[in-house]
Amino acid sequence: MKIGLFFGSFNPVHIGHLIIANFMATHTDLDRVWLVVSPQNPLKPKKSLARDYDRLHLVRLGIGDNSLIEASNIEFSLPKPSYTVDTLAHLKEKYPDHEFALIMGSDNLDTLHLWKHYEFLLANNDLYVYKRSPEIPTLAQNPRVRIFEAPLLDISATYVRECLRTGKSVRYLVPDAVFEYLEGSNLYRD
Ligand code: ATP
């Protein structure tokens, strides 16, 4: 199977993430999409970052019964901070029958050269890129890069957290099951 990996903090997951994941799973040749939840970086301030397993749980709730999308906690057990190239090496060893591709917004292409071993990454993996602005980054010329026009929503986890912190509703910004869970919890409310 060809699996698209969509990395993020998902702090919390919102419908912007899920629309991209579902688009990639249904409008491209990817068979599945895994939402890879990044662990807390022990060197970074944790103030507004919910615990790893809370964020993973919310991602699972958000995916619901969609069999094309899965949550992955693979990075929780890897050395931190986790670099994509190392996570990929680990995944390829663990799942030798799968092919892995990376899903990212076109804004990420501009800074890809700062990633650990980015040339190796690009030489060995396909990048499924969704356009986030009309400009096409130079790296889009690379044969490993495929550009898609997915529906875009101007939503961020920062905005969702800010709503929760100030007691505003996040209904419809996150999937219903995530909304209900958040309503009954203290997450992101200080
Ligand atoms: P924060 O506001 O906390 O920085 P975020 O909403 O950007 O979070 P991340 O967990 O950092 O969420 O996102 C994971 C990936 O999803 C990143 O590559 C990010 O660029 C992308 N992404 C985030 N929000 C959207 C959106 N509304 N539409 C498309 N892609 C998004």
Side-chain angles (χ1 to χ4, degrees):
M1 278 207 285
K2 189 164 185 182
I3 316 269
L5 302 172
F6 193 27
F7 290 83
S9 308
F10 303 112
N11 185 40
V13 67
H14 53 70
I15 57 170
H17 299 132
L18 289 162
I19 286 171
I20 297 297
N22 194 53
F23 173 90
M24 289 295 178
T26 57
H27 288 61
T28 72
D29 64 343
L30 293 174
D31 300 298
R32 296 278 189 281
V33 170
W34 292 359
L35 300 181
V36 185
V37 181
S38 304
Q40 285 172 342
N41 183 334
L43 304 175
K44 282 194 179 164
K46 298 180 180 173
K47 203 170 166 292
S48 58
L49 185 62
R51 285 176 309 177
D52 297 350
Y53 282 95
D54 283 331
R55 289 180 288 122
L56 180 72
H57 181 62
L58 289 174
V59 170
R60 290 200 170 122
L61 284 178
I63 293 168
D65 65 359
N66 187 342
S67 56
L68 300 178
I69 309 178
E70 259 178 57
S72 168
N73 62 0
I74 190 82
E75 289 195 336
F76 291 7
S77 55
L78 296 181
K80 298 177 183 69
S82 29
Y83 295 102
T84 305
V85 69
D86 300 330
T87 306
L88 270 162
H90 185 80
L91 283 170
K92 285 179 184 180
E93 200 178 298
K94 190 165 177 190
Y95 303 99
D97 296 337
H98 290 340
E99 184 185 347
F100 292 100
L102 297 175
I103 297 173
M104 63 180 67
S106 54
D107 48 320
N108 278 307
L109 279 191
D110 294 326
T111 48
L112 197 77
H113 62 283
L114 302 174
W115 292 27
K116 183 179 169 188
H117 301 329
Y118 91 96
E119 281 160 327
F120 177 86
L121 204 68
L122 201 52
N124 292 285
N125 303 278
D126 289 335
L127 263 54
Y128 284 57
V129 174
Y130 56 93
K131 262 170 111 172
R132 289 199 87 176
S133 68
E135 297 83 49
I136 307 276
T138 337
L139 258 188
Q141 310 299 330
N142 190 292
R144 283 288 199 174
V145 176
R146 302 183 196 182
I147 306 277
F148 296 92
E149 304 233 7
L152 274 188
L153 281 190
D154 191 9
I155 292 180
S156 67
T158 305
Y159 178 70
V160 173
R161 291 196 302 277
E162 186 59 17
C163 288
L164 289 164
R165 199 181 59 77
T166 54
K168 309 256 179 8
S169 173
V170 296
R171 191 164 200 176
Y172 309 125
L173 298 179
V174 298
D176 285 350
V178 173
F179 169 70
E180 277 154 28
Y181 184 90
L182 289 171
E183 285 289 287
S185 90
N186 284 327
L187 275 180
Y188 306 113
R189 292 184 207 270
D190 283 340

